[in-house]
Amino acid sequence: MRRILLTVLDAASPAYRGRLAETYERQAGTDAAGFAAALAGLLAPPSQALPVATADDRSVWGPGGSADPVSIRGILERAEADLDQPWPVPLASAAARLHDDGDREGWESVLYERQRRLSRAAVAAAVLADDPVRGPRSLAEVLDGVWLFCEQSSWCWPAHDDAFRERGSVLPVVTAPYLDLGAGEVASLLAWVDQLIGDRLEARYPGIRSRVRYEMRVRIFEPFTRRRDWHWLGLDGDVHNWNPWIHGNVLVAALRLLDDPAEADERAAIVALALEGIDRYVSVLPDDGAIDEGYAYWWNGACRALEALDVVRHATGGVLDASGITALRETVAFPHRMHLGADWYLNLADGQARVSAAQPWHALHRAAIAAGDRDAAAHAAAHRTPGSPAAIEHPGFGRLLRGITDPAWIAAAQDSSPFPRDVWLPSTEVLLARSHGGTARGLTMAAKGGHNGEHHNHNDVGSFIVASDGVPVVVDAGRPTYTLQTFGPDRYDIWTMQSGWHNVPVIDGREQPPGAEFAASGVEASIGDDSVFSAELSGAYPGVGPWHRTVRLERAAGRVVVSDAWTPAARATSQIPVVERARNERDETHASTSGAGTRRTEVRLLLAGDVVRDGDAVAVTPLEGATPVRISWPAGVEASLVVRELDDPVLTSVWGAKLTRLDLDVTDRDAIAVTVELDQTNAEDTR
C-alpha cells in the first residue's frame, strides 16, 4: 500500500509553487525539486512533531503542572459527569434524514458531542495518569471513544458525502470514504489523542494504535493522495476555507501517525502535498488579509492556515516559518478590524453578526505575537477574562490542547480591543468607519461593494450596516441554520440570502441575482474628517440604468447619510424580466408593483430592535441598551414596515424574536437621502 501511495505522489502533476513554496524553499535552502527530500530531513520524529507535551511530561500534566488549572478543573468535572451517560450515537436514520427534509443538525450535533466527550476523556486520562482508580477509568473512556470512531462507518458529514450523488445511497459507502471537513476533524482528533495519551493507551490496550493507523490510512491518507479532484483543493483557483481546514488536519495526522520508520518518505511526501494545498490558499489570500466570507469564517479559514503553519514551524524546529508573508501577517488583523463592539462583528455572506465567544483566541494571540501585531494581540487578550478557562473543547481537541498548554496565553493579562477608527479593505471593497477610534461608543458604519459570486455569497452588493455603541441597528440578518438547501440549487429561495432582505434597493421590481458578473463598479473609499463609501450599483441588477450610492459618516454632525441617485428612464425602458420569488410575507406583494403596471422601486433597510414610526422617521431602540437611533427620510416618501418574525435558532440567538424592514417607495423619484443619527431625545446622557 505504501509503495502504491508513493507512486501516485510521484506521478502527480508538477507541484504548485506560490508564496508559501517560495518562502519555504528559500528557508530550506533548496528548490522545488529538492523540497520534499529536504523536508524529510527537517521534520522532527513523530513523537515530537506536534507542539503539545505527552501525558508522560508531568511538569505539564501532573499535579501543579503548567497546563491551565482553570481549564483542567472544568474539563475534569465534565468528564466525570460523562461517565454516568451513554456515549452519543449518530444514527443512520439521522444521516438519511438529510435526504428527507434537509436536516443536517440532528446527525452533526450528536457527532460533535461524541468528539467533545473523547476530548474531555483524553485530557482527564493525562491529568489523572497517577491516580490508581480514576486514571485507568479515564483510559477506558478514551478507549471506548477511539474505538467508536474506528467503528463509525464514515467520518464524513452526511451533507458533504457524494454517496447519494455518485451511487444513489442515502448512507455512506464504506468502500468509498469521502474526505471532507468532518473526516479531517476526526483524523486530527485521533492524532492529537495519540500524541497526548497514545503510549499509555497502547500499554494498557495493546493493538489500539494499529487500528487507528489502519483507519487513518484507509479513510484519510489513501483518499487524499489517490483522488486529486477534491473541490477543496482549489485546483481551479476557487480556494475557500475548506482548503486550510482539511489540509491542516491531514498534516497533523501525517506528522503523528505515520510513525513507522519505513513510512518516513511517505510522511514527508504527504506533508509536502498538504503544504502545496495550503499554498494555494495562502497565494489567493489578499494582501490586505480580508476574508470575503466574513469574520465568522476567519476562524475556520485563515486561522486554520495560521495554525497549520505554526505546527510546521514547530515540526521543523523553526526552520520553516511563514509568518513573514504579507497576506498572513495582515489577516491576523482581520478580526479586530471587523469588530463593532463587545461580541458584535461586521458580518458578511453567511457570517453571523454575533458568534459564540468560545473561539480559539489563543491561536490569534500566538499568530499576532509571531507577526508582531500588538493590536491583534490586544484584541485576543481582551477575551482572556480573569478566572476563565484558557480554552474549552468545543472548537476542537487540537485547539483545546494548544490553548491550555500555551504559557504566553495562560499568563496573558486581559487587554482592550483596539477599535481602529477607519478600515478600508480594497480586496473585498469593504469600508468600516466609527465616530472615534479606540471606542465602540457612537456610530459605526460599514459598506461593501464586491460581487454576488463571493464564497458563502448573499446577494448584497452595495449593502451597508450602522451600529450604535457597537450594537448593529441597520443590520445584515446573516444566515439561518444550515440545511441541505443552504448549498443546493434552491439556496436563493432562502430569504436571508436575497437582496430584498439586505440594505440595498429594489429597482423597478428587480432584486440582485447571484453570480460574480453582478458586481459593483467605481467603488471608492475616502477617509478624512468624514469617511465616505461610494459605488455604482447598476451592475448588480439585470437591465437597469445608473444607480449611484454614497454612504457617508459625518463625524462632526454625528450621523450617517446614505444617498442614492439614479436614472428612472433607463429602468422604465428595460425589457429584462423582474426577478420573481415565492415569499411567505403576507404584505410583500407591494414590493413588485405600484399603480397600473408600474413596478415599484424601493430603498430598504433591515432593522434590529424596537422600531416605532414617527412621521417621516422611525425611532429604533437597539438591542442590549445601546443608544437609540433615529432614521429619517424626505417628506412625501411613502414608507412601510415589514415585520419578520424569527423562529430559526441561529437567527434568534443573534437578533431575538424579530427583525423589521423599512421600505421607502421611491418609484417616482430619482434621488433620496436617508439619515441615521443617535437619538438623544430621551437620553440621560450624551455618551
Side-chain angles (χ1 to χ4, degrees), residues 2 29 165 223 355 370 453 481 493 514 575:
R2 297 188 197 112
R165 182 177 67 251
V355 298
T481 301
D493 287 345
Q575 299 300 311

PDB file of all heavy atoms in Angstrom, residues 2 29 165 223 355 370 453 481 493 514 575:
ATOM      1  N   ARG A   2       1.928   1.287   0.826  1.00  0.00           N
ATOM      2  CA  ARG A   2       2.773   2.476   0.878  1.00  0.00           C
ATOM      3  C   ARG A   2       3.427   2.729  -0.472  1.00  0.00           C
ATOM      4  O   ARG A   2       3.550   3.856  -0.925  1.00  0.00           O
ATOM      5  CB  ARG A   2       3.848   2.304   1.953  1.00  0.00           C
ATOM      6  CG  ARG A   2       3.305   2.155   3.363  1.00  0.00           C
ATOM      7  CD  ARG A   2       4.432   2.181   4.384  1.00  0.00           C
ATOM      8  NE  ARG A   2       3.953   1.638   5.639  1.00  0.00           N
ATOM      9  CZ  ARG A   2       4.367   0.486   6.148  1.00  0.00           C
ATOM     10  NH1 ARG A   2       5.248  -0.231   5.500  1.00  0.00           N
ATOM     11  NH2 ARG A   2       3.888   0.050   7.291  1.00  0.00           N
ATOM     12  N   GLY A  29      16.776  26.141   1.870  1.00  0.00           N
ATOM     13  CA  GLY A  29      17.973  26.148   1.043  1.00  0.00           C
ATOM     14  C   GLY A  29      17.905  25.178  -0.106  1.00  0.00           C
ATOM     15  O   GLY A  29      18.908  24.526  -0.439  1.00  0.00           O
ATOM     16  N   ARG A 165     -25.092  11.183  -4.630  1.00  0.00           N
ATOM     17  CA  ARG A 165     -24.902  11.719  -5.984  1.00  0.00           C
ATOM     18  C   ARG A 165     -24.229  10.697  -6.901  1.00  0.00           C
ATOM     19  O   ARG A 165     -24.608  10.551  -8.065  1.00  0.00           O
ATOM     20  CB  ARG A 165     -24.050  12.990  -5.908  1.00  0.00           C
ATOM     21  CG  ARG A 165     -23.835  13.664  -7.256  1.00  0.00           C
ATOM     22  CD  ARG A 165     -23.043  14.948  -7.127  1.00  0.00           C
ATOM     23  NE  ARG A 165     -21.656  14.722  -6.705  1.00  0.00           N
ATOM     24  CZ  ARG A 165     -21.173  15.023  -5.520  1.00  0.00           C
ATOM     25  NH1 ARG A 165     -21.971  15.556  -4.601  1.00  0.00           N
ATOM     26  NH2 ARG A 165     -19.903  14.800  -5.224  1.00  0.00           N
ATOM     27  N   PRO A 223      -7.319   8.217   0.355  1.00  0.00           N
ATOM     28  CA  PRO A 223      -8.146   9.116  -0.463  1.00  0.00           C
ATOM     29  C   PRO A 223      -7.453  10.442  -0.776  1.00  0.00           C
ATOM     30  O   PRO A 223      -7.599  10.984  -1.875  1.00  0.00           O
ATOM     31  CB  PRO A 223      -9.394   9.337   0.402  1.00  0.00           C
ATOM     32  CG  PRO A 223      -9.438   8.168   1.320  1.00  0.00           C
ATOM     33  CD  PRO A 223      -8.015   7.814   1.598  1.00  0.00           C
ATOM     34  N   VAL A 355     -21.236  35.664  17.011  1.00  0.00           N
ATOM     35  CA  VAL A 355     -20.953  34.242  17.079  1.00  0.00           C
ATOM     36  C   VAL A 355     -20.512  33.904  18.494  1.00  0.00           C
ATOM     37  O   VAL A 355     -20.256  34.793  19.315  1.00  0.00           O
ATOM     38  CB  VAL A 355     -19.861  33.832  16.064  1.00  0.00           C
ATOM     39  CG1 VAL A 355     -20.333  34.108  14.646  1.00  0.00           C
ATOM     40  CG2 VAL A 355     -18.561  34.571  16.326  1.00  0.00           C
ATOM     41  N   ALA A 370       3.633  36.310  16.705  1.00  0.00           N
ATOM     42  CA  ALA A 370       4.570  35.938  15.641  1.00  0.00           C
ATOM     43  C   ALA A 370       4.666  37.022  14.578  1.00  0.00           C
ATOM     44  O   ALA A 370       5.733  37.256  14.004  1.00  0.00           O
ATOM     45  CB  ALA A 370       4.150  34.612  15.008  1.00  0.00           C
ATOM     46  N   GLY A 453     -20.762  36.595  -6.369  1.00  0.00           N
ATOM     47  CA  GLY A 453     -20.201  35.254  -6.510  1.00  0.00           C
ATOM     48  C   GLY A 453     -19.179  34.982  -5.430  1.00  0.00           C
ATOM     49  O   GLY A 453     -18.319  34.117  -5.596  1.00  0.00           O
ATOM     50  N   THR A 481     -30.109  28.335  10.201  1.00  0.00           N
ATOM     51  CA  THR A 481     -29.493  27.018  10.374  1.00  0.00           C
ATOM     52  C   THR A 481     -29.204  26.394   9.015  1.00  0.00           C
ATOM     53  O   THR A 481     -30.028  26.443   8.107  1.00  0.00           O
ATOM     54  CB  THR A 481     -30.431  26.104  11.181  1.00  0.00           C
ATOM     55  OG1 THR A 481     -30.687  26.704  12.450  1.00  0.00           O
ATOM     56  CG2 THR A 481     -29.814  24.735  11.376  1.00  0.00           C
ATOM     57  N   ASP A 493     -33.688  30.793  -2.573  1.00  0.00           N
ATOM     58  CA  ASP A 493     -35.064  30.841  -2.093  1.00  0.00           C
ATOM     59  C   ASP A 493     -35.111  31.131  -0.595  1.00  0.00           C
ATOM     60  O   ASP A 493     -36.169  31.434  -0.054  1.00  0.00           O
ATOM     61  CB  ASP A 493     -35.786  29.519  -2.375  1.00  0.00           C
ATOM     62  CG  ASP A 493     -36.116  29.346  -3.855  1.00  0.00           C
ATOM     63  OD1 ASP A 493     -36.049  30.351  -4.593  1.00  0.00           O
ATOM     64  OD2 ASP A 493     -36.423  28.219  -4.260  1.00  0.00           O
ATOM     65  N   PRO A 514     -27.705  36.079  -8.146  1.00  0.00           N
ATOM     66  CA  PRO A 514     -26.376  35.605  -7.768  1.00  0.00           C
ATOM     67  C   PRO A 514     -25.467  35.512  -8.986  1.00  0.00           C
ATOM     68  O   PRO A 514     -25.924  35.423 -10.116  1.00  0.00           O
ATOM     69  CB  PRO A 514     -26.651  34.220  -7.187  1.00  0.00           C
ATOM     70  CG  PRO A 514     -27.888  33.763  -7.896  1.00  0.00           C
ATOM     71  CD  PRO A 514     -28.709  35.003  -8.139  1.00  0.00           C
ATOM     72  N   GLN A 575     -36.348  45.715 -20.818  1.00  0.00           N
ATOM     73  CA  GLN A 575     -37.210  44.582 -21.145  1.00  0.00           C
ATOM     74  C   GLN A 575     -36.822  43.311 -20.393  1.00  0.00           C
ATOM     75  O   GLN A 575     -37.411  42.264 -20.622  1.00  0.00           O
ATOM     76  CB  GLN A 575     -37.128  44.298 -22.667  1.00  0.00           C
ATOM     77  CG  GLN A 575     -37.597  45.478 -23.520  1.00  0.00           C
ATOM     78  CD  GLN A 575     -39.036  45.848 -23.225  1.00  0.00           C
ATOM     79  OE1 GLN A 575     -39.906  44.979 -23.201  1.00  0.00           O
ATOM     80  NE2 GLN A 575     -39.288  47.128 -22.985  1.00  0.00           N
TER      81      GLN A 575
END
